[in-house]
């Protein structure tokens, strides 16, 4: 796997593992007198929660010797929290 592709994949997985905010914009239009007019515009911020599967994928990418498949749900959750703590300590806060 090329280095830049792997780095991009890791960046995406980190975002998903931490959870993120996404803005969604909705515009409503009305056609009056043959013209389309903007009636209402609404921006909603949605929160995507942290994802344990993304943490698992990161572990598999970064440490091939660690068998994530053998970890219990509790161990995975503990590792997810540890990784999020490390990310937040680096100034990448959620």
């Amino acid at each position: 796997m090329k280095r830049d592709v792997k780095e991009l994949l890791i960046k995406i997985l980190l975002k998903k593992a931490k959870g993120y905010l996404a803005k969604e914009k909705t515009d409503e239009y009305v056609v009056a007198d043959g013209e389309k007019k903007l009636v209402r515009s609404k921006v909603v911020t949605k929160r995507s929660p942290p994802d344990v599967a993304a943490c698992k994928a990161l572990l598999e990418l970064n440490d091939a010797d660690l068998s994530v498949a053998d970890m219990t749900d509790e161990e995975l959750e503990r590792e997810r929290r540890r990784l999020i703590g490390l990310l937040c300590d680096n100034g990448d806060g959620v």
Side-chain angles (χ1 to χ4, degrees), residues 56-67:
K56 181 178 175 181
L58 279 169
L59 288 171
E60 290 173 351
L61 275 175
N62 290 324
D63 193 3
D65 295 334
L66 180 61
S67 179

Side-chain angles (χ1 to χ4, degrees), residues 39-69:
V39 176
R40 182 181 7 202
S41 183
K42 182 178 180 182
V43 177
V44 177
T45 303
K46 294 188 176 183
R47 172 116 174 96
S48 177
D51 185 4
V52 174
C55 291
K56 181 178 175 181
L58 279 169
L59 288 171
E60 290 173 351
L61 275 175
N62 290 324
D63 193 3
D65 295 334
L66 180 61
S67 179
V68 177

Side-chain angles (χ1 to χ4, degrees), residues 17-93:
K18 289 182 351 182
Y20 57 93
L21 298 176
K23 291 186 178 182
E24 185 177 285
K25 183 178 179 183
T26 305
D27 294 330
E28 290 183 27
Y29 292 91
V30 171
V31 177
D33 300 327
E35 291 186 32
K36 183 169 74 169
K37 296 181 183 180
L38 180 64
V39 176
R40 182 181 7 202
S41 183
K42 182 178 180 182
V43 177
V44 177
T45 303
K46 294 188 176 183
R47 172 116 174 96
S48 177
D51 185 4
V52 174
C55 291
K56 181 178 175 181
L58 279 169
L59 288 171
E60 290 173 351
L61 275 175
N62 290 324
D63 193 3
D65 295 334
L66 180 61
S67 179
V68 177
D70 295 332
M71 293 175 80
T72 65
D73 289 342
E74 292 81 17
E75 290 170 327
L76 286 171
E77 180 65 24
R78 212 173 17 254
E79 184 64 13
R80 180 185 74 84
R81 290 180 190 273
R82 185 186 73 80
L83 289 172
I84 290 172
L86 288 173
L87 292 169
C88 291
D89 289 344
N90 288 331
D92 276 353

